[in-house]
Amino acid sequence: QVQLVESGGGLVQAGGSLKLSCAASGRTISTYAMGWFRQAPGKEREFVSAISWNGANIYYGDSVKGRSTISRDNAKNTVYLQMNSLKPDDTAVYYCAVDINTAKIRAGNDIQYWGKGTLVTVSS
């Protein structure tokens, strides 16, 4: 079983930056893909980004493309999401996800492991 704990959320002004982290425990996830989703109040969950086990394949949702960078450190069992030029529309709970490959994460269905989320609030 894998436990995922997100951190790094908070309140930031529009135009600012945040770096989210997701630390995995319980087993090594170095052979798993990892990713991020977000859910804003009253909206459906949205794919944000995914990274393959070795970092060779990276994907971004249209809403964050060009403003965010995903990375991972397998030695630390951790995935990161650097978010820049934040907008009020980025306000959401951000969830970490782990599954066997990036295609499964991007599909967003039956994800093997989810974190409990970290809240990002962007003020205008």
Side-chain angles (χ1 to χ4, degrees), residues 19-42:
K19 187 173 185 177
L20 307 183
S21 300
C22 171
S25 62
R27 63 175 293 176
T28 183
I29 45 81
S30 60
T31 60
Y32 285 76
M34 303 184 79
W36 294 91
F37 287 78
R38 69 185 186 184
Q39 188 164 21

Side-chain angles (χ1 to χ4, degrees), residues 2 4 6 10 18 23 30 39 49 61 65-66 72 76 89 100 102 105 108-109 117:
V2 174
L4 303 174
E6 302 95 335
L18 278 177
S30 60
Q39 188 164 21
S49 185
K65 197 174 293 183
R72 65 188 293 164
K76 296 182 179 179
D89 284 349
I100 56 171
T102 52
I105 291 181
N109 299 318

Side-chain angles (χ1 to χ4, degrees), residues 33-116:
M34 303 184 79
W36 294 91
F37 287 78
R38 69 185 186 184
Q39 188 164 21
K43 294 188 177 181
E44 292 188 353
R45 186 180 61 205
E46 176 187 17
F47 169 75
V48 174
S49 185
I51 185 168
S52 59
W53 69 275
N54 60 358
N57 298 302
I58 289 175
Y59 304 91
Y60 297 100
D62 289 341
S63 59
V64 302
K65 197 174 293 183
R67 300 188 294 122
S68 296
T69 303
I70 190 170
S71 60
R72 65 188 293 164
D73 185 338
N74 286 340
K76 296 182 179 179
N77 258 11
T78 300
V79 64
Y80 306 96
L81 184 68
Q82 175 70 46
M83 300 190 296
N84 303 319
S85 303
L86 284 162
K87 309 172 185 178
D89 284 349
D90 294 316
T91 295
V93 177
Y94 285 71
Y95 297 93
C96 179
V98 169
D99 215 313
I100 56 171
N101 56 49
T102 52
K104 274 220 64 186
I105 291 181
R106 293 168 71 194
N109 299 318
D110 298 322
I111 297 291
Q112 272 194 289
Y113 304 108
W114 287 102
K116 293 186 178 181

